Amino acid sequence: MGRRFSLAVLLFSCFIYFTAGLKGGDAALKKIFCLLLALALSLGLFAACGTDETGTFSYYIAEIPATLDPQVAASAVELTCVQNLYRGLYRLSADGKPVPDVAERCDISDGGLVYTFTLKEGLRWSRRWNEDKAAYTAATEENPGLPLTADDFVFALQRVFTPATGSPYAGLLNNIEGAKAMLNGADASALGVNAQGDRTLVIRLAQPDEDFLKKLCSAGAMPCNRGFFEYTSGSYGLRGKNSVSENVLNNGFFNLTVWDAENGVTLRRPSPEKGQLGRVRLIPENPVIDRPVDSTAQAPEAATPLSRLSAGLSNAEILPLGSIDGAYDQFTFTSTVWGVAFNCNDAYFSNASIRRGLSMAALQKEFSSLSPAFEKAGGIVPPSVTLAGAGYREQAGSLLPGEQDARGLYISGIEELIGAGVIHEKTEGKKLSGVVLLIPEEEPYHEMAVQLSQVWQKELSAFFSLKEMPLSELEAAVKKGDYQLALYPLRAARNDVPALLSAFSAAGTNLFHYQGVSVPSSGASLEACRNAERQLLEDFPFCPLVFETTCFALSGCKDVIIDPFGPILDFTWASMA
């Protein structure tokens, strides 16, 4: 409205000046013209000359990235940065389908084992080798960046399977021929990936995988320049000392301009078109001093995600289901399962009968009524996770065991622990002593934990101490193994069933210190995944109680691609609404 008004002021002033000219140039009218012109300028008619018309997207993050190395990046904020700093062979579209990115085309052999990619022409990195300075410097129009070649993808995938890298994508991509051999110490030449010239990349698989192109959209499959990697001498992807981006060589739609603990991360799109999103600010959360999107917005005290969104402090927030109206674009996803986490290293909870008894008692309770975001869990893998393009949970069905004698199982476990000398019956009685259940202080999870404790008291005469703490501290304690029991959210970090089940494997995160199941590798069949999940639900290192649906609210921006597993945000096609 301000610009329309200022335009009217300017047109009126021009009219005055024109008529004054016809009358011989009345000095007073010319003076009025100058005043009106100044007013029009102050109202912002020409604001585009000095401001960013392309817009800024602001999003709050719990912590800044530790690395921007695509083959190592794992947290949601790291992956959001990588997704926008780099371009891979393929990229996920708004409907979750893989579409070509730097690949011009892909030819797949009849047997589905050989993928031949032809890269687009003219692809470049963000830096060039500067002979005068003997260093990599930012590319310019006059001095373009290094050419992006097929060998950059060869080297990237070799890094994924080099044991020293410790890449979290080794399991996701291990269907590539020779991948398992490399992980066991074989030379990189064993890997079924090779470049045939600068624009042709050939990848051979050990067995057909209809989800392979989707897996190539992951951070682990982003390119890595061999020369630049070696030049950084172990600092690749880390924050630089002289420049925040000096150890980052990217080929994506955005460049890195800010990366520090105080200001977070800023990504800028070089030469954005009008209306196109030009800047992304990932702002560290601060409950007292929140940074507004613009100077006119005022941060409320102790800002919550909802109040930040409402006040214009952010353009997107993760919110409880049903907490906002239709004023915002909303995307819902169910990628979290809440349940009881048992530390299988604990003397008590290494006993399977104890875990089964507590779990069967807990499964008798209906917790879904505590929140509209909850539904009774039918297994460990939540509904948003897919397998072979369809919902895994829908395909697998509920895998919870049938009704069992919870009290009988629990008493059997007590007897087994007495027999093993873990419980001294004469001094302790037939019970577990000193057990602490970690519970979140936030609602409705706190109430769920209290009701869980009451069920155990009623059904099993099991009395445990409750230790309340912020959810972030509880999650950290479980990851460190510093717990006995915990009401814990198991989140799918990516859309891959075996990756989620790796939380129960020594080859994965093994949060629960459980040794009783062989987790299938990425690309495994439905039956293999079902068998692994069924085994977990017989031994109960984790007892799933409810699936939680989360709402991602978006304001002031459109065409942002949202991967619910993180979530991870892709601003490739984004523009301001």
Side-chain angles (χ1 to χ4, degrees):
M1 180 176 177
R3 290 191 181 183
R4 290 197 297 269
F5 180 70
S6 61
L7 179 60
V9 172
L10 181 59
L11 290 173
F12 180 64
S13 64
C14 290
F15 172 76
I16 290 176
Y17 189 84
F18 178 74
T19 54
L22 291 178
K23 295 178 181 180
D26 188 288
L29 288 176
K30 288 182 178 180
K31 190 173 184 179
I32 293 173
F33 163 76
C34 292
L35 292 172
L36 289 171
L37 179 60
L39 176 62
L41 290 169
S42 68
L43 287 171
L45 176 65
F46 301 123
C49 297
T51 62
D52 179 11
E53 273 202 329
T54 59
T56 296
F57 185 98
S58 295
Y59 182 59
Y60 282 76
I61 56 177
E63 57 186 7
I64 67 168
T67 179
L68 296 179
D69 177 348
Q71 279 69 54
V72 176
S75 73
V77 65
E78 289 170 354
L79 293 174
T80 290
C81 291
V82 165
Q83 191 67 41
N84 294 283
L85 289 170
Y86 295 86
R87 297 176 64 187
L89 294 165
Y90 271 66
R91 181 177 292 269
L92 292 178
S93 65
D95 59 0
K97 304 295 183 184
V99 295
D101 195 355
V102 305
E104 184 176 88
R105 72 171 190 270
C106 174
D107 299 309
I108 305 174
S109 67
D110 290 340
L113 294 178
V114 181
Y115 287 67
T116 303
F117 299 91
T118 301
L119 305 188
K120 295 175 181 176
E121 295 184 358
L123 299 170
R124 295 278 179 177
W125 288 101
S126 61
R127 294 179 178 274
R128 68 184 184 93
W129 177 251
N130 189 321
E131 290 286 356
D132 294 335
K133 296 184 177 181
Y136 287 90
T137 57
T140 63
E141 288 188 13
E142 297 79 15
N143 297 291
L146 298 168
L148 180 79
T149 69
D151 185 66
D152 296 324
F153 289 94
V154 173
F155 183 62
L157 291 172
Q158 288 174 348
R159 288 192 63 224
V160 168
F161 303 111
T162 299
T165 304
S167 175
Y169 305 98
L172 180 71
L173 299 167
N174 71 1
N175 190 33
I176 295 176
E177 182 182 278
K180 294 177 181 177
M182 263 200 79
L183 288 170
N184 289 324
D187 186 79
S189 61
L191 192 65
V193 182
N194 67 284
Q196 296 179 359
D198 286 346
R199 293 183 56 212
T200 302
L201 175 73
V202 179
I203 301 178
R204 297 181 299 278
L205 303 186
Q207 58 186 17
D209 183 356
E210 57 190 82
D211 282 339
F212 184 62
L213 290 179
K214 180 177 284 189
K215 293 174 183 178
L216 289 180
C217 298
S218 68
M222 299 290 184
C224 179
N225 181 273
R226 192 186 305 264
F228 184 81
F229 177 83
E230 294 171 352
Y231 170 82
T232 57
S233 301
S235 297
Y236 180 71
L238 301 180
R239 195 156 37 126
K241 294 180 180 179
N242 301 314
S243 165
V244 293
S245 62
E246 67 185 10
N247 296 320
V248 175
L249 181 68
N250 58 292
N251 71 317
F253 294 103
F254 288 81
N255 289 329
L256 177 69
T257 59
V258 175
W259 180 11
D260 61 60
E262 181 180 357
N263 299 294
V265 175
T266 298
L267 308 176
R268 282 189 178 274
R269 188 194 300 267
S271 305
E273 298 179 1
K274 185 176 180 180
Q276 196 174 35
L277 181 65
R279 185 171 70 148
V280 175
R281 296 175 67 221
L282 304 177
I283 309 168
E285 285 188 329
N286 187 321
V288 179
I289 304 173
D290 279 304
R291 298 162 175 77
V293 172
D294 58 64
S295 59
T296 62
Q298 297 298 316
E301 292 185 9
T304 64
L306 181 56
S307 66
R308 286 197 301 246
L309 191 67
S310 301
L313 299 169
S314 65
N315 294 98
E317 296 286 353
I318 299 173
L319 300 169
L321 188 68
S323 61
I324 57 173
D325 55 27
Y328 306 100
D329 291 332
Q330 301 176 45
F331 307 86
T332 58
F333 47 89
T334 310
S335 58
T336 299
V337 55
W338 281 85
V340 182
F342 297 93
N343 187 339
C344 297
N345 269 349
D346 183 83
Y348 290 154
F349 302 111
S350 61
N351 183 279
S353 297
I354 292 289
R355 299 196 303 267
R356 289 174 186 142
L358 290 168
S359 297
M360 294 311 300
L363 291 174
Q364 295 174 19
K365 176 68 178 177
E366 180 59 65
F367 296 100
S368 58
S369 61
L370 292 176
S371 168
F374 290 166
E375 63 176 291
K376 185 176 179 62
I380 294 171
V381 182
S384 288
V385 182
T386 64
L387 183 72
Y392 167 79
R393 189 77 277 144
E394 186 176 347
Q395 296 180 72
S398 175
L399 297 179
L400 295 178
E403 187 173 340
Q404 298 178 31
D405 180 7
R407 190 173 187 85
L409 287 167
Y410 186 71
I411 291 174
S412 294
I414 295 289
E415 296 290 349
E416 290 166 9
L417 291 174
I418 291 173
V422 175
I423 294 177
H424 301 285
E425 184 178 0
K426 289 184 178 180
T427 56
E428 300 177 68
K430 292 187 176 183
K431 64 179 182 180
L432 304 185
S433 302
V435 173
V436 177
L437 170 65
L438 303 187
I439 67 174
E441 62 182 23
E442 297 89 348
E443 296 294 355
Y445 317 114
H446 179 272
E447 178 59 26
M448 179 163 57
V450 170
Q451 292 188 18
L452 174 66
S453 178
Q454 292 171 347
V455 168
W456 286 338
Q457 292 174 24
K458 179 182 177 182
E459 301 296 330
L460 307 176
S461 300
F463 294 84
F464 304 145
S465 298
L466 306 184
K467 183 177 181 179
E468 300 178 9
M469 59 180 60
L471 178 56
S472 59
E473 292 183 14
L474 185 151
E475 291 182 283
V478 171
K479 288 177 181 177
K480 291 178 182 177
D482 187 16
Y483 75 105
Q484 290 178 293
L485 291 175
L487 181 63
Y488 182 79
L490 183 60
R491 297 185 174 93
R494 62 176 184 259
N495 191 12
D496 186 62
V497 177
L500 178 63
L501 297 181
S502 71
F504 303 91
S505 166
T509 56
N510 201 14
L511 292 172
F512 315 109
H513 308 284
Y514 173 70
Q515 306 294 332
V517 70
S518 176
V519 174
S521 60
S522 184
S525 67
L526 172 63
E527 193 57 31
C529 293
R530 278 173 55 98
N531 289 340
E533 188 179 19
R534 186 182 288 111
Q535 179 63 50
L536 291 169
L537 292 170
E538 289 178 2
D539 283 355
F540 283 115
F542 178 84
C543 174
L545 300 177
V546 294
F547 294 136
E548 182 180 27
T549 297
T550 304
C551 173
F552 188 88
L554 192 65
S555 174
C557 196
K558 60 184 180 180
D559 299 325
V560 178
I561 306 299
I562 303 168
D563 181 345
F565 303 97
I568 302 164
L569 309 182
D570 183 350
F571 301 102
T572 298
W573 299 283
S575 59
M576 301 310 292

